């Protein structure tokens, strides 16, 4: 019957469960939770966790929890949820004692005793963050008494007095606001900064709505939840139609009520990630993002008959844009097109240098940064950020001390700044600790969220921050790799995909790569993901494993020699991207366990790995990403000469016989290849010739050898290009050189591909092969 708290460290729990009941992914939902002991065995304890079933645990993973003192007036932690109004105990000595191990105590908390606030967060220890008087306080739930239930909100809530009324409305006098106005120089056309402050301070505390309360929804089965959710979508469509069509001042009150009932209500009632994504995607598909943005502009730029209602409606619309941008990438894509990013970035400029502790100002800035961060995660929006010079507006907030403002500012910058400016996103210990701590809490939470962040967006954040080399090292020291591996194992499909992508960013550091390579558990998890049913997960994990298995010059003597030859060619470093270098010598190829042949493209087509060669990766043009050539185009090889490489790289394309080079010379057919004087009837020699086989592309007719001397040893050196070629742009034909039976996988009638088109080939690797004479 004892109450016990289950360890919240997923990796530790999985390890210690061996021989003590084992581990299944569903147990993740119980980590960090409090349950009741229902049975005790020789080497395991059975614990029942409310709403999550009964499980067997290693007793070393359990910590006994003292039951609340009877008669204290406190509510059971299970009775209190996010959004509820609660009163803090008035007994200072008791609260101080209860705070040990639950956030600690400082004397400023004396001012919170006996007051009523709203629960805005419940962490994995069941400790509760209560918002009152413009501040958030972390309390042991045993110190709190439930006053009334409510719904959860992403936006910060005002404090309440004992009567449940908003204290903030009379805490800022006209004189105080006037002082703020003198401090703030910027404003809107007709809706001034003063109006924005009033809108934030005079929020509507009505928790009603047609969607039903979260408590009622919790009692439904998954099928009933889904049915209930889909019943609400037509109502969401109707209110968006109303927003689009009714723009006169008299309709503001009606629209505000409908937005709260049919958009804000469902958002509160359905907190699961998949549910909110359905709603956000639906709003994006029906034009809701633009409609809400246009209505926001309408409210900001006009005077209306019910000014106070107008201001409250402004707050509702702003909160909806913030919340649904957190729920749906599709909604974010539409927001990028709507002009909202310009509005919220201007907010940051308006309040630069303002008192960020003031509740109203803090809400405007926090919501602006929230929207920008959410939209920055969508790559299609990046050019909008460049157009409005968002980085300049965000930069001042990188220096603030408030981490709840600083962290979203840093993370937004991590998505939008170019690599050459990655120094702007180098983080200190405070930001790194915040991200890692929040990630740990999210991994232990049943909904995999903490402090307003989902575990998926935290993984994305780690990957974005890893663009800075110093961040890679700092975050790795603080445990980022273990977190990402845990997420790759226990998260859902989208979580696993983002965890793998983030790991990829860290692996560009050779020391981190070596560290992960030696972790058998990490390698096992990633190999399992390579067989995942979700294609996106499989692709991300495969790319990580390929990076993990790639050789570096320090690993392989053959690669070191090939690197020396490449250096002797004096090709500009700007052409190369060393992150994707790989040695295909027999030793490296065997150590990776690679096959000799793979398929690539749509439709899939065979190609052979360039075994015996070493690849130095080339930078690809932006169109390669835009056209998704890495997955849709076929892989082939083109043999050439060392002397021709510079011209090819300068041009960025392969040219055919008869074309003029950049230097003005005319390209002719190679010796040993068909030419006008020696060819079959009707054969066109004025084409580019490639092959899915390096054995064929490496023949002397294509890859003419040169001599290379290294430390007294002479080598025969060949070069070729590894490339992508667009499906349908080339003809498949037989060998046009004398050799036969060159490759066991390809017949002589299909071993050469030819094209007379420009722009259908993108080279992505310089291949080098050295053979000692």
């Amino acid at each position: 019957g004892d109450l016990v708290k289950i360890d919240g460290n997923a990796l530790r729990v999985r390890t210690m469960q061996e021989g003590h009941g084992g581990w299944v992914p569903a147990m993740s939902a119980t980590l960090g939770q409090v349950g009741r002991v229902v049975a005790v065995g020789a080497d395991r304890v059975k614990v029942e966790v409310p709403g999550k079933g009964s499980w067997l645990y290693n007793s070393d993973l359990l910590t006994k929890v003292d039951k609340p003192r009877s008669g204290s007036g406190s509510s059971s932690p299970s009775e209190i949820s996010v959004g509820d109004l609660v009163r803090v105990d008035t007994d200072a000595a008791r609260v101080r004692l209860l705070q040990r191990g639950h956030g600690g105590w400082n004397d400023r908390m004396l001012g919170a005793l006996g007051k009523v606030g709203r629960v805005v967060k419940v962490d994995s220890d069941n400790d509760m963050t209560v918002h009152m008087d413009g501040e958030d306080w972390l309390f042991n739930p045993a110190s709190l008494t439930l006053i009334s239930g409510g719904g959860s909100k992403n936006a910060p809530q005002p404090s309440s007095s004992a009567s449940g009324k908003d204290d903030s409305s009379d805490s800022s006098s006209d004189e105080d606001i006037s002082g703020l106005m003198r401090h703030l120089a910027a404003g809107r056309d007709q809706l001034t900064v003063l109006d924005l402050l009033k809108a934030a301070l005079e929020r509507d505390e009505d928790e009603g709505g047609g969607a039903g309360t979260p408590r009622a929804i919790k009692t439904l089965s998954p099928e009933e939840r889904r049915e209930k959710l889909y019943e609400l979508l037509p109502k969401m469509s109707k209110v968006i139609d109303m927003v689009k069509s009714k723009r006169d001042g008299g309709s503001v009150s009606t629209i505000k009520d409908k937005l709260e009932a049919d958009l804000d209500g469902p958002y509160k009632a359905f907190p699961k990630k998949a549910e909110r994504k359905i709603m956000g995607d639906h709003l994006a598909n029906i034009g809701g993002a633009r409609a809400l943005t246009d209505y926001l502009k309408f409210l900001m730029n006009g005077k209306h008959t019910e000014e106070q209602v107008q201001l409250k409606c402004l707050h509702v619309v702003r909160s909806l844009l913030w919340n649904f941008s957190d729920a749906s990438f599709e909604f974010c894509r539409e927001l990028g097109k709507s002009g909202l990013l310009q509005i919220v970035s201007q907010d940051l400029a308006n309040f630069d240098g303002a008192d960020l502790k003031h509740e109203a100002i803090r809400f405007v800035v926090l919501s602006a940064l929230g929207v920008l961060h959410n939209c920055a995660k969508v790559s299609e929006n990046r050019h909008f950020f460049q157009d409005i010079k968002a980085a300049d507006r965000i930069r001042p907030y990188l220096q603030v001390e408030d981490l709840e403002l600083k962290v979203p500012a840093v993370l937004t910058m991590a998505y939008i700044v170019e690599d050459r400016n990655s120094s702007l996103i180098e983080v200190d210990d405070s930001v790194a600790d915040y991200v890692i701590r929040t990630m740990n809490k999210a991994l232990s939470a049943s909904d995999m969220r903490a402090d307003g962040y989902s575990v998926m967006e935290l993984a994305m954040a780690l990957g974005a921050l890893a663009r800075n080399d110093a961040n890679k090292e700092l975050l790795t020291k603080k445990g980022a790799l273990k977190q990402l591996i845990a997420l790759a194992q226990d998260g859902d499909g989208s979580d696993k995909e983002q965890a793998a992508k983030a790991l990829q960013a860290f692996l560009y550091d050779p020391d981190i790569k070596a560290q992960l390579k030696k972790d058998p558990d990490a390698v096992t998890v990633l190999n399992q993901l390579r067989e995942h049913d979700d294609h996106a997960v499989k692709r991300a994990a495969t790319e990580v494993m390929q990076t993990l298995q790639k050789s570096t010059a320090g690993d392989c003597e053959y690669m070191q020699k090939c690197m020396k030859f490449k250096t002797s060619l004096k090709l500009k470093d700007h052409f190369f991207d060393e992150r994707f270098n790989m040695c295909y010598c027999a030793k490296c190829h065997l150590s990776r366990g690679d096959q000799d042949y793979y398929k690539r493209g749509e439709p899939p087509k065979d190609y052979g790995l360039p075994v015996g060669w070493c690849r130095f990766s080339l930078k690809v043009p932006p169109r390669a990403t835009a056209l998704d050539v890495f997955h849709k185009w076929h892989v082939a090889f083109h043999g050439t000469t060392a002397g021709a490489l510079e011209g090819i790289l300068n041009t960025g394309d392969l040219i055919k016989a008869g074309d003029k080079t950049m230097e003005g010379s005319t390209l002719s057919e190679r010796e040993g290849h068909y030419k006008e004087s020696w060819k079959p009837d009707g054969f066109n020699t004025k084409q580019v010739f490639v092959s899915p086989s390096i054995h064929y592309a490496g023949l002397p007719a294509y890859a003419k050898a040169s001599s290379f001397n290294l430390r007294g040893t002479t080598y025969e050196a060949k070069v070729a290009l590894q490339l992508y070629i667009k499906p349908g742009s080339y003809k498949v034909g037989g060998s046009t050189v004398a050799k036969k039976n060159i490759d066991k996988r390809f017949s002589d009638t299909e071993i050469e591909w030819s094209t007379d088109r420009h722009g259908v080939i993108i080279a992505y690797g310089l291949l080098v092969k050295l053979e000692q004479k």
Side-chain angles (χ1 to χ4, degrees):
D2 287 340
L3 293 179
V4 292
K5 178 186 171 186
I6 302 161
D7 195 305
N9 188 312
L11 290 175
R12 182 170 181 265
V13 173
R14 281 199 297 272
T15 301
M16 296 185 65
Q17 278 296 102
E18 294 181 9
H20 297 272
W23 168 268
V24 295
M27 295 173 72
S28 297
T30 70
L31 300 184
Q33 302 296 308
V34 174
R36 187 177 301 278
V37 175
V38 295
V40 179
D43 60 356
R44 62 196 69 183
V45 178
K46 189 172 186 178
V47 180
E48 180 182 13
V49 182
K52 299 177 176 63
S54 298
W55 305 90
L56 294 173
Y57 290 97
N58 184 328
S59 60
D60 290 338
L61 296 170
L62 307 176
T63 303
K64 186 176 179 180
V65 177
D66 292 333
K67 297 179 181 179
R69 187 177 68 189
S70 60
S72 67
S74 64
S75 301
S76 167
S78 62
E79 296 176 357
I80 303 175
S81 62
V82 172
D84 290 343
L85 291 177
V86 293
R87 187 193 307 278
V88 183
D89 197 319
T90 58
D91 186 338
R94 180 173 181 269
V95 174
R96 184 183 287 107
L97 181 64
L98 289 170
Q99 284 298 106
R100 294 177 181 175
H102 295 271
W105 168 269
N106 70 66
D107 289 340
R108 291 181 60 240
M109 298 176 76
L110 287 169
L113 300 184
K115 288 192 174 182
V116 174
R118 188 175 299 280
V119 176
V120 295
K121 181 173 59 183
V122 179
D123 68 18
S124 59
D125 295 330
N126 215 33
D127 294 332
M128 298 181 178
T129 301
V130 180
H131 189 80
M132 60 177 67
D133 293 336
E135 293 188 81
D136 289 342
W137 299 97
L138 184 66
F139 285 105
N140 184 326
S143 301
L144 307 175
T145 301
L146 179 67
I147 299 298
S148 64
S152 62
K153 287 187 178 182
N154 269 14
Q157 297 300 302
S159 62
S160 301
S161 65
S163 64
K165 295 175 67 176
D166 182 4
D167 284 339
S168 62
S169 60
D170 57 7
S171 64
S172 295
S173 65
D174 291 339
E175 181 180 356
D176 180 36
I177 293 178
S178 297
L180 282 168
M181 285 303 301
R182 288 192 297 271
H183 181 64
L184 301 173
R188 300 280 187 224
D189 293 340
Q190 297 181 40
L191 186 67
T192 65
V193 177
L194 174 59
D195 295 327
L196 282 173
L197 298 179
K198 286 182 178 179
L201 290 170
E202 298 179 13
R203 308 171 186 166
D204 190 353
E205 283 295 300
D206 181 11
E207 297 292 340
T213 67
R215 293 179 186 274
I217 296 297
K218 287 179 181 178
T219 64
L220 301 178
S221 69
E223 294 75 17
E224 291 171 328
R225 285 181 69 102
R226 183 61 62 94
E227 182 178 349
K228 180 69 174 177
L229 175 60
Y230 279 105
E231 287 177 359
L232 296 173
L233 298 185
K235 293 183 179 179
M236 298 176 77
S237 299
K238 287 183 179 179
V239 73
I240 290 300
D241 288 340
M242 179 183 292
V243 169
K244 291 178 181 178
S245 60
K246 294 184 178 180
R247 301 266 175 99
D248 60 288
S251 69
V252 172
S253 178
T254 301
I255 289 178
K256 180 188 79 71
D257 292 343
K258 293 295 290 181
L259 288 173
E260 290 180 318
D262 296 338
L263 292 188
D264 191 40
Y267 184 88
K268 295 174 185 174
F270 292 88
K272 294 184 178 180
K273 179 173 73 171
E275 295 169 340
R276 287 180 170 177
K277 181 179 184 300
I278 288 172
M279 291 185 281
D281 289 352
H282 176 68
L283 287 175
N285 292 334
I286 63 174
R290 181 171 292 278
L292 290 171
T293 300
D294 288 346
Y295 200 67
L296 182 72
K297 296 175 184 176
F298 164 70
L299 292 170
M300 291 166 60
N301 295 326
K303 287 292 183 182
H304 306 280
T305 56
E306 300 173 89
E307 184 175 0
Q308 294 304 313
V309 174
Q310 169 200 356
L311 299 173
K312 290 179 180 179
C313 189
L314 180 70
H315 180 266
V316 170
V317 174
R318 191 179 183 98
S319 296
L320 289 171
L321 290 165
W322 183 9
N323 287 338
F324 281 108
S325 68
D326 181 57
S328 164
F329 284 164
E330 290 301 322
F331 192 79
C332 288
R333 289 186 180 92
E334 295 305 310
L335 285 183
K337 306 171 188 175
S338 73
L340 180 66
L341 302 184
Q342 174 70 52
I343 295 173
V344 293
S345 66
Q346 183 60 47
D347 289 336
L348 297 184
N350 290 345
F351 291 99
D352 181 13
D355 179 8
L356 297 177
K357 293 182 180 179
H358 190 286
E359 182 183 359
I361 299 175
R362 192 172 187 279
F363 168 75
V364 174
V365 172
L366 188 59
S367 62
L369 289 170
V371 169
L372 290 170
H373 171 235
N374 292 335
C375 291
K377 291 178 288 188
V378 179
S379 59
E380 294 91 331
N381 283 340
R382 308 283 164 77
H383 69 94
F384 294 122
F385 283 88
Q386 294 175 356
D387 292 344
I388 64 176
K389 295 181 172 55
D392 294 337
R393 305 287 175 82
I394 298 169
R395 191 174 301 183
Y397 296 89
L398 300 178
Q399 310 303 322
V400 301
E401 294 182 1
D402 186 338
L403 288 176
E404 291 189 2
L405 298 174
K406 183 176 184 177
V407 170
V410 172
L411 298 187
T412 304
M413 292 287 277
Y415 291 114
I416 66 174
V417 299
E418 298 178 351
D419 287 343
R420 58 189 173 88
N421 294 324
S422 64
S423 60
L424 291 173
I425 61 171
E426 185 171 331
V427 301
D428 56 19
D429 280 321
S430 67
V431 173
D433 287 338
Y434 184 98
V435 174
I436 295 296
R437 182 173 63 250
T438 307
M439 182 75 158
N440 275 329
K441 290 166 66 176
L443 284 169
S444 301
S446 58
D447 62 352
M448 302 196 91
R449 290 186 68 90
D451 300 342
Y453 293 94
S454 71
V455 73
M456 183 186 78
E457 66 182 325
L458 289 167
M460 294 178 68
L462 288 171
L465 290 173
R467 295 170 57 206
N468 176 281
D469 291 338
N471 288 348
K472 288 189 186 76
E473 183 178 351
L474 179 62
L475 292 168
T476 298
K477 287 180 179 178
K478 293 181 180 293
L481 297 186
K482 290 183 179 180
Q483 292 181 331
L484 292 171
I485 291 298
L487 181 59
Q489 179 165 343
D490 296 331
D492 62 21
S494 58
D495 295 335
K496 294 177 187 292
E497 178 190 2
Q498 296 303 330
K501 288 183 175 180
L503 283 169
Q504 176 83 309
F506 279 87
L507 294 184
Y508 297 139
D509 183 303
D511 293 333
I512 296 174
K513 175 180 168 182
Q515 176 183 332
L516 193 65
K517 201 171 184 179
K518 293 176 182 178
D519 185 343
D521 292 336
V523 173
T524 298
V525 170
L526 291 168
N527 275 324
Q528 290 173 347
L529 292 188
R530 295 175 78 174
E531 307 301 323
H532 200 276
D533 293 337
D534 188 317
H535 179 68
V537 175
K538 181 187 297 186
R539 175 192 298 179
T542 298
E543 290 177 352
V544 173
M545 286 305 298
Q546 287 176 345
T547 301
L548 202 59
Q549 294 167 349
K550 288 172 185 174
S551 301
T552 63
D555 300 328
C556 174
E557 183 180 355
Y558 178 73
M559 191 174 191
Q560 292 176 12
K561 294 176 182 178
C562 291
M563 177 70 79
K564 293 287 187 183
F565 173 73
K566 171 187 169 288
T567 302
S568 74
L569 299 177
K570 293 182 170 53
L571 300 171
K572 293 182 176 64
D573 289 339
H574 300 289
F575 292 125
F576 296 93
D577 185 350
E578 64 181 17
R579 296 177 300 171
F580 304 104
N581 292 351
M582 181 174 283
C583 182
Y584 291 98
C585 73
K587 181 180 178 181
C588 290
H589 177 64
L590 184 63
S591 70
R592 287 191 297 268
D594 287 339
Q595 303 173 40
D596 289 341
Y597 298 90
Y598 286 91
K599 293 181 181 292
R600 184 70 64 89
E602 296 179 2
K605 208 163 185 70
D606 286 340
Y607 71 97
L609 288 186
V611 179
W613 297 65
C614 181
R615 183 180 74 202
F616 299 100
S617 184
L618 296 169
K619 291 179 181 177
V620 296
R623 67 189 183 96
T625 302
L627 297 173
D628 197 14
V629 303
F630 312 107
H631 305 106
K632 294 183 177 180
W633 287 22
H634 296 148
V635 173
F637 305 93
H638 176 81
T640 186
T641 66
L645 282 174
E646 184 175 13
I648 292 173
L649 296 179
N650 286 337
T651 305
D653 198 6
L654 296 176
I655 59 176
K656 56 186 182 295
D659 288 343
K660 285 193 173 183
T661 67
M662 181 182 285
E663 294 73 27
S665 59
T666 301
L667 189 68
S668 60
E669 297 88 350
R670 295 264 176 80
E671 192 64 35
H673 193 273
Y674 286 159
K675 55 183 65 177
E676 288 300 323
S677 60
W678 176 64
K679 65 174 186 176
D681 290 341
F683 185 85
N684 180 14
T685 63
K686 304 299 190 288
Q687 301 183 86
V688 174
F689 296 90
V690 300
S691 174
S693 168
I694 191 61
H695 300 304
Y696 184 81
L699 290 174
Y702 295 108
K704 186 176 180 180
S706 60
S707 183
F708 174 61
N709 188 279
L710 180 62
R711 291 191 289 270
T713 302
T714 301
Y715 296 89
E716 190 176 74
K718 290 184 177 182
V719 295
L721 295 172
Q722 190 170 16
L723 53 87
Y724 293 110
I725 184 168
K726 183 179 179 181
S729 69
Y730 61 87
K731 295 178 181 178
V732 176
S735 171
T736 56
V737 296
K739 296 259 186 180
K740 302 295 181 183
N741 302 319
I742 297 166
D743 194 305
K744 63 183 180 180
R745 177 58 67 93
F746 305 102
S747 71
D748 291 335
T749 61
E750 62 177 357
I751 201 165
E752 187 168 82
W753 303 346
S754 58
T755 181
D756 58 1
R757 300 190 198 178
H758 288 288
V760 297
I761 289 175
I762 295 178
Y764 68 95
L766 166 61
L767 297 173
V768 172
K769 183 176 183 180
L770 298 179
E771 291 182 318
Q772 188 173 338
K773 286 188 177 180

